[in-house]
Amino acid sequence: PGWSPGPGRVRMIESGSVSRKAFREELMRLKRGSVTRRQFMGVTGLGAAVALLGGAMAALRPGRAHADGLDRLFVLATPGGRHGPQNLDAFRDASGELIMARTFRSHAEMFEKVEGDGIRWDVFLPGNASIEALVAQDLLSPLDLSSLPNYAPDNINPVFAQAGVVAGRVYAVPKAWGTTGIAVNTRYDGGRPLTGWKDFFDRTMDDFSGQAVMFDEQVASIGAALRYHGHSFNALDEAALAQAEALLMEVKPHLAFLSPGILLPLRMGRARLSMAFSGDARLLLRDIPDHAFVMPVEGTELWCDCYAISRQGRRDEAAHALIDFMLAPAMGAAEARATGYAPADERARARLPSGMLNDPVVYPDDDVLSTLEIVAAETLTNARRHDIFARFRAA
């Protein structure tokens, strides 16, 4: 439910779920005045806590001195598994800044909650496809590139570097990139390795029935169904989407459940086949070698995580400082080693160990790369695709 390495360290709390221990720790921080009531509610995710604590809240209200100290706290919002906590600790040690790292189950959940969360985020990690929509909703501040001397767009693939540029202004800078494929426990594949999305869907309805997991977000799940039928991952036309919906509805009774994307079901033995992001898959294969990661022969998605600053944030200077710190080549490489995702900056790539550079999970060969499609902004926000996925989820 959360990560807490010790007193004074960067704190990561899983959205929507906290353990009793984590709740008690947050309650004590509230009593000490280290957080506001609103922040307490946002971190714990327990809306019912208002009724539970009731009148006791008045006695827990922080004094002026404590409230003033909150100006030194700023919040990093990130999907789970996309940051190395020790690297955030390194920034805290170097700068003295206090960080609360708020983790979400997926980019989709973070995107949905960006407006309604009880905490004012300062820095967060949107995917490339969401930046245009976030700017349109006036939720991002343009970046001051003079405060980001470590940002070197000439060392970044233009596809990724341009993702954060809207109407000629830079709102986000790339952190790392990855792909979406298939993870499978090879002990149960019957000696028949999977090759792509056709195998994934067909065998979910056959020998992996009741043991397969799909993502609980529409971009990848609908995209995979589209590729099954030979359509673009980003397809929006009605005929293609109708085929994708029919396949999703056919496969739904055979799924174990929907997952946010981190490969806990395979790690815990609750599933044997799953959609998978490349970084999560690399760490899974490192820890449990009897698994394989499959890059679908039909093609799949290519996406990029980016650093951005919330327009509602309170710590603009500190936010720029964190982003610049993490953009340093040494830190980019450290993040890649911690998360399993390829750094966007080629200077960071040059610092990676050969085992990671030569790993096709992280760096697919050119033949595979040529089949990948960058996720488009319209794919994320298309109403028809959202309607399809809502029916699929409810089925």
Side-chain angles (χ1 to χ4, degrees):
W3 174 82
S4 181
R9 307 296 277 177
V10 174
R11 185 169 182 77
M12 301 186 79
I13 303 274
E14 187 79 24
S15 173
S17 176
V18 293
S19 67
R20 292 181 180 180
K21 179 181 178 182
F23 181 86
R24 287 196 300 269
E25 290 174 353
E26 291 305 309
L27 181 59
M28 291 305 298
R29 295 177 73 217
L30 179 64
K31 289 180 178 180
R32 293 193 301 268
S34 299
V35 295
T36 65
R37 285 180 294 168
R38 190 175 190 180
Q39 288 171 325
F40 168 77
M41 296 304 299
V43 171
T44 60
L46 299 177
V50 173
L52 175 67
L53 295 175
M57 276 298 189
L60 300 177
R61 185 177 294 114
R64 181 181 300 275
H66 290 304
D68 290 344
L70 292 175
D71 290 340
R72 294 188 62 244
L73 176 73
F74 74 101
V75 182
L76 167 67
T78 174
R82 300 299 173 87
H83 276 293
Q86 69 277 14
N87 299 323
L88 297 177
D89 284 342
F91 173 74
R92 186 217 61 190
D93 293 340
S95 66
E97 293 287 352
L98 302 178
I99 309 172
M100 182 175 70
R102 175 77 183 275
T103 65
F104 292 86
R105 293 177 299 173
S106 65
H107 269 121
E109 183 189 44
M110 190 173 72
F111 183 79
E112 290 171 1
K113 292 187 176 181
V114 66
E115 289 185 285
D117 198 273
I119 298 177
R120 287 185 178 272
W121 306 349
D122 295 291
V123 177
F124 64 106
L125 202 72
N128 59 283
S130 65
I131 294 167
E132 186 176 315
L134 292 170
V135 172
Q137 296 175 59
D138 199 30
L139 294 171
L140 297 185
S141 291
L143 296 176
D144 177 7
L145 297 186
S146 67
S147 297
L148 301 176
N150 281 318
Y151 179 52
D154 290 345
N155 292 291
I156 297 173
N157 185 318
V159 171
F160 299 142
Q162 286 300 309
V165 180
V166 179
R169 306 187 75 177
V170 179
Y171 287 87
V173 292
K175 175 188 187 292
W177 60 272
T179 61
T180 300
I182 303 162
V184 59
N185 188 324
T186 56
R187 290 182 296 168
Y188 301 100
D189 68 3
R192 296 185 294 138
L194 284 77
T195 63
W197 295 124
K198 182 169 177 53
D199 286 340
F200 177 85
F201 284 101
D202 289 348
R203 295 184 63 177
T204 292
M205 295 183 283
D206 186 15
D207 54 320
F208 283 100
S209 182
Q211 303 166 356
V213 175
M214 288 185 66
F215 283 170
D216 190 14
E217 62 97 6
Q218 68 90 359
V219 172
S221 293
I222 293 179
L226 287 164
R227 293 305 297 164
Y228 177 99
H229 287 292
H231 304 299
S232 165
F233 210 89
N234 292 302
L236 300 178
D237 62 281
E238 181 57 38
L241 289 176
Q243 283 188 309
E245 180 174 11
L247 177 59
L248 291 173
M249 291 302 186
E250 184 180 6
V251 80
K252 180 64 184 291
H254 297 275
L255 294 174
F257 45 83
L258 300 180
S259 171
I262 300 174
L263 290 178
L264 291 177
L266 267 68
R267 285 183 175 274
M268 299 172 63
R270 297 177 61 199
R272 297 172 179 175
L273 177 67
S274 179
M275 300 181 74
F277 295 129
S278 54
D280 295 337
R282 174 178 165 78
L283 300 183
L284 173 71
L285 271 60
R286 180 197 65 188
D287 298 339
I288 312 177
D290 56 0
H291 287 74
F293 179 67
V294 179
M295 287 292 292
V297 294
E298 302 91 346
T300 188
E301 64 174 336
L302 176 67
W303 46 262
C304 179
D305 287 340
C306 300
Y307 290 111
I309 294 178
S310 169
R311 186 174 288 280
Q312 297 179 344
R314 299 171 295 117
R315 301 297 315 284
D316 186 79
E317 183 177 348
H320 277 88
L322 172 63
I323 294 174
D324 190 60
F325 183 87
M326 302 302 287
L327 289 176
M331 292 308 301
E335 281 287 275
R337 292 192 298 270
T339 65
Y341 292 102
D345 193 322
E346 288 297 309
R347 299 172 301 169
R349 175 176 177 168
R351 293 171 176 259
L352 295 180
S354 60
M356 192 167 187
L357 291 171
N358 297 324
D359 188 342
V361 176
V362 184
Y363 288 106
D365 61 36
D366 290 342
D367 289 342
V368 174
L369 282 172
S370 67
T371 69
L372 303 182
E373 296 180 76
I374 191 76
V375 180
E378 296 84 357
T379 304
L380 178 69
T381 58
N382 181 261
R384 175 74 171 103
R385 290 179 64 130
H386 280 279
D387 288 344
I388 289 173
F389 194 74
R391 288 192 290 273
F392 168 63
R393 179 185 276 172

